[in-house]
Amino acid sequence: ALACERCHGAEQEGLVGPALVESLKMLSKEDFHTLMQNGRPEKGMPPFKDLLEESKIETLADFILTDLRLKE
């Protein structure tokens, strides 16, 4: 989560990277997983597939997507 926080902020409010609060709500867990694996290099987001194991990406997806739903 610290890797996300550096660019997207502690509350996903956006810093160097865009705010994620609303945009992540529109992603399915599968889309989130693909995004984390491949990143968005054209927008400055690196791929994390070589840095995070599959299980870590799954755990991160569950945590972030659940946290966002609780804030609704």
Side-chain angles (χ1 to χ4, degrees):
L2 289 177
C4 305
E5 199 173 293
R6 283 185 217 136
C7 294
H8 299 290
E11 300 295 320
Q12 298 90 37
E13 72 278 10
L15 295 172
V16 175
L20 300 178
V21 175
E22 293 303 317
S23 60
L24 285 179
K25 288 179 185 177
M26 295 183 277
L27 287 180
S28 68
K29 187 174 176 181
E30 294 77 23
D31 289 340
F32 178 85
H33 192 272
T34 299
L35 176 63
M36 289 301 298
Q37 283 186 316
N38 301 325
R40 286 193 175 152
E42 71 281 359
K43 294 189 176 201
M45 180 180 169
F48 288 90
K49 63 184 170 195
D50 294 332
L51 301 173
L52 295 174
E53 300 169 9
E54 292 287 322
S55 63
K56 300 278 187 198
I57 293 175
E58 289 294 316
T59 300
L60 185 60
D62 289 338
F63 173 75
I64 289 175
L65 297 175
T66 298
D67 186 52
L68 288 174
R69 287 189 194 99
L70 292 174
K71 291 181 181 180
E72 290 181 341

